[in-house]
Amino acid sequence: MQRSRAYLSANLLAALLSTACLTAHAGKLQVVDESYSSDFALYLEETLPAPLQAALVQRGLAVWGRTEAYELGGHGYCIGSVGITTATTDGRQPRAPLEHITRFVQEVADDQWQETVCRATAMRAAVEAMGETELAQLVDNLDQTLPGGGTRAVEAADPKVIEISGSGVGAKARAALSDALSAYQIGKLFDYRQITTYVDTEIFELDNGDSACYARVGLTARAPQGRQSRLPAYSTDTMFVAAPGDDEACQRDAVLDAVGKHFSQPWTTDGIFAGLEKTREDGLALPDLAKVAEQHAAQAEPAAAK
């Protein structure tokens, strides 16, 4: 089965410039914007039914939105996702939505194809689907997105444990993910009680029957029990297109590609640690990132020589 590697859309500069931007005004719908579009908040206001908007405002909830765009195999592909979370007011990242509505758009990458239009089309489709969803379904168990609260069990340090959070990871992809993170010795470099590797992945079926497999990887602080992990401030995403067959293998390859690209970047606050302080949890210290980077460099040198 042949696969085409996606163009990596999340570079460091773009991520730093577009890190989740929260707009919050009294009486207005709050927005967590990772959509790469200045029109996202306006489109929500114009498209979501007024009763739904009023209910979200009354509950102090926010709409999260994100888009991705790729060019591969002569086509352009765009993903638009929206979900409900609880807004933050202290500069920290909001928690990841429990579930999100995702819409996928495929357009021929000819002279007429424009990334901004493709992103907007995918986002509009996701927002319209949210507007057709029952409120009870959207707000179910949203206490898990509250900024504070939750509990922490007393746990012993264990370098063999690697904490993984996120959504959509199938069994085959999860097993490969664990092996890949172990190869980076993540368990030794990070205390699982402090840091989790956030992974968001999904499989889409294209019009011709092929599969498009998306994966996003980043670091975030480990959430207390009863709470969702905070969205990573910086992440790396990728996508594969595969002929009909084993969707799990396609997803596994996308996840491994995202992991490899993310952790091969500089282990600095200008690299994979960018914005990590925005994911901190109450009463939980982040690891000494300089020490982590030093230990990573020490283990990487013998591996490179070998």
Side-chain angles (χ1 to χ4, degrees):
M1 178 166 27
Q2 294 184 343
R3 295 182 174 84
S4 300
R5 175 162 294 188
Y7 172 79
L8 186 63
S9 67
N11 58 63
L12 179 57
L13 178 59
L16 291 175
L17 291 176
S18 60
T19 297
C21 175
L22 180 66
T23 60
H25 303 282
K28 289 189 176 182
L29 186 63
Q30 301 181 80
V31 178
V32 179
D33 190 354
E34 293 182 323
S35 69
Y36 299 87
S37 171
S38 59
D39 297 328
F40 178 51
L42 177 61
Y43 189 74
L44 287 172
E45 185 177 345
E46 293 177 345
T47 304
L48 286 183
L52 174 57
Q53 293 191 48
L56 296 177
V57 170
Q58 183 181 19
R59 289 168 169 78
L61 300 174
V63 179
W64 163 83
R66 185 178 178 86
T67 62
E68 310 288 2
Y70 306 92
E71 292 181 64
L72 56 157
H75 290 78
Y77 302 90
C78 291
I79 302 169
S81 302
V82 292
I84 305 298
T85 187
T86 303
T88 59
T89 58
D90 58 4
R92 286 187 287 182
Q93 290 289 94
R95 300 197 183 280
L98 283 168
E99 297 181 2
H100 52 264
I101 298 170
T102 302
R103 290 295 180 267
F104 184 82
V105 176
Q106 176 187 6
E107 296 186 9
V108 176
D110 56 18
D111 293 340
Q112 302 300 315
W113 188 80
Q114 295 181 6
E115 179 180 323
T116 54
V117 175
C118 185
R119 285 182 185 271
T121 302
M123 179 54 68
R124 283 197 298 266
V127 172
E128 289 168 358
M130 172 176 283
E132 297 169 357
T133 305
E134 293 291 334
L135 175 63
Q137 181 179 341
L138 292 174
V139 301
D140 187 35
N141 291 322
L142 273 185
D143 57 331
Q144 295 182 38
T145 69
L146 291 173
T151 60
R152 289 195 179 276
V154 177
E155 298 171 306
D158 188 344
K160 296 180 180 179
V161 176
I162 298 174
E163 182 72 16
I164 300 172
S165 62
S167 62
V169 185
K172 186 176 291 187
R174 181 171 289 273
L177 172 63
S178 297
D179 290 342
L181 295 177
S182 295
Y184 282 102
Q185 300 190 40
I186 296 298
K188 295 181 179 179
L189 296 172
F190 295 109
D191 188 328
Y192 76 97
R193 299 170 298 179
Q194 295 177 313
I195 292 292
T196 177
T197 301
Y198 178 89
V199 182
D200 180 22
T201 177
E202 195 158 354
I203 303 172
F204 305 92
E205 183 177 347
L206 304 181
D207 294 339
N208 63 1
D210 289 352
S211 296
C213 304
Y214 160 81
R216 175 189 177 202
V217 171
L219 292 174
T220 186
R222 184 183 174 191
Q225 294 175 344
R227 295 290 183 268
Q228 286 282 92
S229 296
R230 295 182 187 274
L231 291 166
Y234 174 60
S235 60
T236 301
D237 60 89
T238 191
M239 192 181 80
F240 276 83
V241 172
D246 191 344
D247 282 354
E248 281 195 290
C250 177
Q251 183 188 63
R252 176 200 62 205
D253 290 352
V255 168
L256 292 179
D257 190 56
V259 167
K261 288 176 177 175
H262 190 74
F263 289 109
S264 64
Q265 296 176 65
W267 287 51
T268 66
T269 53
D270 292 326
I272 66 170
F273 301 144
L276 188 60
E277 71 280 358
K278 295 180 181 179
T279 72
R280 69 187 185 282
E281 295 288 354
D282 296 336
L284 179 67
L286 290 174
D288 184 336
L289 299 181
K291 182 178 180 180
V292 170
E294 182 180 337
Q295 292 174 332
H296 170 257
Q299 74 179 29
E301 287 177 2
K306 182 178 179 180

